[in-house]
């Protein structure tokens, strides 16, 4: 079996805005890293990178971006998020849809915007140029007149994932072409560029080195027309790169190679040394483009980041190390060996989203550099603030300081416990429970209380949401312990589109609840 390039995130839900699980491939990096060491080709160079946490203001201000998703039970009001973006000097934002309230809040902010067209709309746009023209009129032209700096339209999101089984192979390019023609017809060809955010699994390397990079054989004929259209319209190739996923899926992956500290033994590719997976992954794409005649096509990093919970490698310490390392790595404008110069990148993600599918992994709901309430999870110097730290959302409105827990006198073997935990986790968020997660220190009662409270908070602290067949009770004493936070939810935002929606992926969520129940008792 051909080894596939990873560094690609399992992003969101098939039924949501983001894409779907894509953990079906293994990273070739662990293979070529180990082989290089065995062959004596990988050696540390005396001129290797120097550890540093300093960020150059002049360079970094040029444009770090962030992905702003909307799959949350309780969204922060868009105006508060836009203020937070501005105060943190985040000058670019990537959206997964064209939500009206979000775009309206971005008007006059000076923040460059990439609006998104979800995959489930590709077929419509592929078959109807009129539909594409109407969408551009309503979601691009209209907002440009309100000083929303829309610079890109993302047509689909990772549509060529292997886990989609070819569902969007024949609609992506026609949709891209029709959207491009709609922009041209609207007189926006030079102002707004199309792109297709793609997962790093669209390219691979037969040699196990970046120089062997080419587009995946089974989609090669679909990729070339897309790349040509981008090139003809001076539009960028957008790719999502996730070293975390390589670590998550491959127990042999060298941990240090995921980071930017220079501690990993470098990989030697014809005299070019690669000290980290990002550079090697990025340059595999550069080689793929070059081999197909598009060596000068601009590249945007559409998503890159590290989650903070839901897996043993997903924690605050490693997320801070990765994201700060990445910021330092790109701050000097050095680029990669094959593509020197500034790198445009969008961190994934801005804020945690508690309604994303966890089918790819429990970490999926924990990618944010900010918590659900817009407060920073850890120190991160983007090089854009005088303090060198993230600035949290201001004037956030929370629900009352009360929590739902398991009644102290309830027996753990009560027959209602298992279905109650399953019900709570099936409709709320229990992904912080489990092995080596932030709440792995809880005992059985703590796990049950956490599940109850998650459901209670997501249902706006309604008394009925803490019944659980008589097992639950409301307390004013914060159950938070150690690293495990029992959250108080923020007050709901009812925007124009009614964003407090139903809970997706209930069947999977119920399965998670049962898994947690058995984890507690077995």
């Amino acid at each position: 079996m051909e080894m596939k390039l990873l560094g690609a995130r399992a992003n969101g839900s098939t039924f949501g805005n983001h894409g779907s699980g894509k953990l079906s491939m293994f990273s070739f990096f662990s293979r070529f890293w180990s082989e290089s060491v065995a062959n004596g080709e990988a050696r540390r160079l005396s001129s290797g990178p120097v550890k540093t946490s300093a960020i150059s203001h002049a360079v970094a201000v040029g444009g770090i971006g962030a992905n702003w998703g909307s799959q949350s039970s309780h969204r922060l009001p868009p105006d508060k998020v836009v203020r937070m973006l501005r105060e943190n000097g985040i000058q670019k934002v990537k959206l997964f849809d064209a939500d009206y309230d979000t775009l309206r809040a971005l008007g006059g902010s000076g923040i460059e915007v990439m609006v998104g067209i979800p995959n489930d709309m590709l077929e419509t746009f592929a078959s109807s140029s009129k539909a594409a023209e109407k969408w551009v009129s309503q979601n691009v032209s209209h907002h440009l007149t309100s000083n929303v700096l829309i610079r890109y339209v993302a047509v689909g999101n990772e549509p060529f994932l292997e886990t989609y089984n070819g569902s969007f192979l024949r609609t992506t390019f026609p949709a891209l072409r029709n959207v491009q023609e709609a922009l041209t017809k609207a007189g926006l060809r030079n102002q707004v560029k199309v792109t297709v955010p793609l997962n790093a699994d669209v390219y691979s390397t037969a040699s196990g080195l970046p120089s062997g990079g080419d587009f995946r054989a089974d989609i090669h004929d679909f990729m070339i027309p897309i790349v040509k259209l981008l090139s003809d319209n001076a539009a960028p190739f957008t790719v999502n790169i996730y070293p975390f996923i390589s670590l998550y899926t491959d127990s042999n992956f060298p941990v240090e190679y995921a980071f930017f500290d220079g501690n990993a033994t470098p990989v030697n590719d014809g005299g070019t040394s690669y000290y980290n997976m990002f550079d090697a992954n990025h340059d595999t794409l550069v080689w793929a483009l070059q081999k197909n005649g598009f060596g000068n096509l601009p590249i945007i990093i559409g998503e890159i980041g590290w989650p903070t919970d839901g897996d043993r490698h997903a924690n605050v310490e490693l997320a801070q190390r990765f994201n700060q390392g990445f910021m330092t790595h790109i701050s000097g404008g050095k680029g990669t060996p094959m593509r020197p110069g500034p790198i445009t990148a969008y961190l994934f993600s801005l804020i945690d989203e508690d309604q994303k599918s966890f089918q790819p992994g429990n970490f999926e709901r924990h990618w944010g550099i900010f918590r659900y309430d817009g407060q920073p999870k850890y120190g991160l110097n983007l090089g854009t603030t005088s303090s060198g730290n993230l600035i949290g959302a201001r004037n956030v409105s929370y629900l009352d300081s009360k929590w739902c827990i398991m009644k102290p006198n309830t027996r753990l073997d009560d027959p209602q416990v298992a279905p109650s935990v399953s019900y709570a986790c099936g409709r709320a968020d229990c992904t912080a429970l489990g092995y080596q997660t932030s709440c792995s220190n809880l005992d059985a009662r703590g796990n049950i209380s956490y599940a109850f409270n998650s459901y209670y908070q997501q249902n706006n602290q309604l008394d009925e949401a803490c019944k659980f067949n008589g097992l639950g009770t409301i307390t004013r004493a914060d159950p938070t312990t150690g690293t495990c936070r029992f959250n108080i939810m923020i007050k709901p935002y009812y925007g124009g589109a009614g964003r407090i929606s139903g809970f997706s992926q209930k069947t999977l969520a119920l399965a998670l609840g049962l898994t947690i129940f058995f984890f507690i008792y077995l």
Side-chain angles (χ1 to χ4, degrees):
M1 181 181 72
E2 181 187 3
M3 299 292 281
K4 300 295 192 299
L5 176 68
L6 239 185
R9 194 182 56 81
N11 176 9
S13 163
T14 305
F15 308 102
N17 295 332
H18 291 218
S20 185
K22 45 194 178 242
L23 301 183
S24 60
M25 53 283 191
F26 291 91
S27 170
F28 70 83
F29 282 113
S30 59
R31 183 185 70 172
F32 83 64
W33 184 87
S34 58
E35 287 178 353
S36 295
V37 172
N39 295 334
E41 296 174 352
R43 52 191 171 83
R44 186 173 305 282
L45 303 182
S46 59
S47 59
V50 178
K51 293 182 184 179
T52 175
S53 60
I55 300 283
S56 166
H57 261 271
V59 176
V61 168
I64 187 64
N67 286 266
W68 178 5
S70 60
Q71 291 182 288
S72 302
S73 63
H74 291 63
R75 291 179 68 204
L76 281 167
D79 62 314
K80 292 187 185 297
V81 178
V82 170
R83 178 175 178 176
M84 184 173 72
L85 288 166
R86 295 183 67 181
E87 291 186 342
N88 283 283
I90 298 173
Q91 298 184 346
K92 303 174 188 290
V93 68
K94 178 169 166 280
L95 308 176
F96 294 90
D97 52 24
D99 178 70
Y100 181 84
D101 289 350
T102 300
L103 288 168
R104 182 176 60 181
L106 285 162
S109 67
I111 297 170
E112 290 190 6
V113 181
M114 181 186 296
V115 295
I117 296 174
N119 289 337
D120 58 11
M121 297 175 67
L122 293 177
E123 185 175 359
T124 298
F125 290 171
S127 60
S128 172
S129 58
K130 292 296 183 184
E133 290 171 12
K134 182 178 180 181
W135 188 92
V136 165
S137 175
Q138 293 178 343
N139 298 289
V140 180
S141 300
H142 171 75
H143 290 290
L144 286 170
T145 62
S146 300
N147 293 320
V148 182
L149 297 182
I150 297 175
R151 291 293 176 262
Y152 302 102
V153 174
V155 182
N157 189 64
E158 302 182 330
F160 290 171
L161 286 180
E162 289 184 287
T163 49
Y164 282 144
N165 297 318
S167 298
F168 307 109
L169 282 180
R170 301 187 183 281
T171 55
T172 300
F173 174 71
L176 179 71
R177 180 187 59 211
N178 283 344
V179 171
Q180 176 61 63
E181 290 177 356
L183 289 170
T184 300
K185 190 171 183 178
L188 301 175
R189 183 175 185 271
N190 296 324
Q191 184 177 352
V192 181
K193 301 296 182 180
V194 294
T195 189
V196 181
L198 293 162
N199 186 270
D201 76 343
V202 299
Y203 48 91
S204 61
T205 171
S207 68
L209 295 170
S211 58
D214 201 351
F215 295 118
R216 220 170 68 212
D218 62 310
I219 61 170
H220 191 276
D221 291 345
F222 293 98
M223 286 296 301
I224 298 306
I226 290 174
V227 174
K228 184 178 186 305
L229 186 147
L230 297 177
S231 179
D232 289 346
N233 290 279
F237 189 108
T238 300
V239 63
N240 302 337
I241 298 177
Y242 284 96
F244 169 81
I245 300 298
S246 293
L247 195 58
Y248 178 75
T249 58
D250 187 352
S251 60
N252 295 316
F253 185 84
V255 175
E256 290 300 319
Y257 204 57
F259 298 95
F260 301 91
D261 306 315
N263 294 331
T265 302
V267 170
N268 186 291
D269 186 4
T272 299
S273 293
Y274 287 92
Y275 290 86
N276 62 79
M277 180 183 168
F278 170 79
D279 284 356
N281 187 308
H282 180 280
D283 282 3
T284 305
L285 170 59
V286 175
W287 276 103
L289 291 170
Q290 185 171 298
K291 285 178 183 175
N292 289 283
F294 301 97
N296 294 322
L297 191 68
I299 296 173
I300 286 177
I301 308 304
E303 300 177 16
I304 186 167
W306 199 280
T308 56
D309 211 345
D311 180 69
R312 65 193 182 99
H313 292 301
N315 56 58
V316 167
E317 292 74 24
L318 292 182
Q320 181 183 40
R321 180 185 176 195
F322 180 85
N323 284 329
Q324 190 63 74
F326 178 69
M327 289 304 305
T328 302
H329 186 63
I330 68 171
S331 66
K334 178 176 146 183
T336 65
M338 285 294 293
R339 187 66 73 87
I343 290 175
T344 297
Y346 295 81
L347 294 178
F348 194 91
S349 66
L350 186 65
I351 303 168
D352 280 352
E353 298 170 71
D354 64 359
Q355 287 193 326
K356 293 184 65 181
S357 169
F358 51 76
Q359 184 177 18
N362 287 346
F363 53 83
E364 269 303 299
R365 296 178 175 179
H366 304 279
W367 287 95
I369 58 176
F370 293 94
R371 298 168 57 231
Y372 69 98
D373 57 357
Q375 302 312 304
K377 294 182 182 177
Y378 48 84
L380 182 61
N381 181 7
L382 300 178
T384 54
T385 64
S386 58
S387 67
N389 290 311
L390 295 175
I391 299 170
R394 300 180 185 273
N395 303 317
V396 177
S397 298
Y398 295 86
L399 300 178
D400 292 342
S401 295
K402 56 184 182 179
W403 298 261
C404 177
I405 61 172
M406 182 184 189
K407 282 183 179 177
N409 60 349
T410 301
R411 292 170 55 92
L412 289 173
D413 60 358
D414 188 303
Q416 293 298 326
V417 169
S420 294
V421 169
S422 182
Y423 184 87
C425 290
R427 289 157 177 79
D429 181 23
C430 295
T431 55
L433 300 175
Y435 178 65
Q436 292 191 358
T437 59
S438 65
C439 293
S440 61
N441 59 318
L442 297 180
D443 60 14
R445 290 185 180 277
N447 278 279
I448 296 165
S449 292
Y450 186 95
F452 285 3
N453 185 65
S454 180
Y455 180 79
Y456 176 66
Q457 299 295 337
Q458 283 204 3
N459 284 276
N460 300 316
Q461 298 183 349
L462 294 174
D463 289 345
E464 289 297 317
C466 190
K467 297 295 186 185
F468 295 107
N469 298 304
L471 303 180
T473 185
I474 296 170
T475 179
R476 294 279 181 175
D478 189 350
T480 293
T481 176
T483 59
C484 185
R485 296 175 58 101
F486 279 64
N487 292 324
I488 299 173
M489 189 51 70
I490 60 176
K491 291 183 178 179
Y493 163 73
Y494 299 104
R499 303 298 296 193
I500 307 301
S501 60
F503 295 86
S504 61
Q505 302 286 299
K506 282 193 175 69
T507 301
L508 287 169
L510 288 167
L512 175 65
L514 288 172
T515 300
I516 291 168
F517 172 73
F518 287 117
F519 174 78
I520 293 171
Y521 292 107
L522 298 181

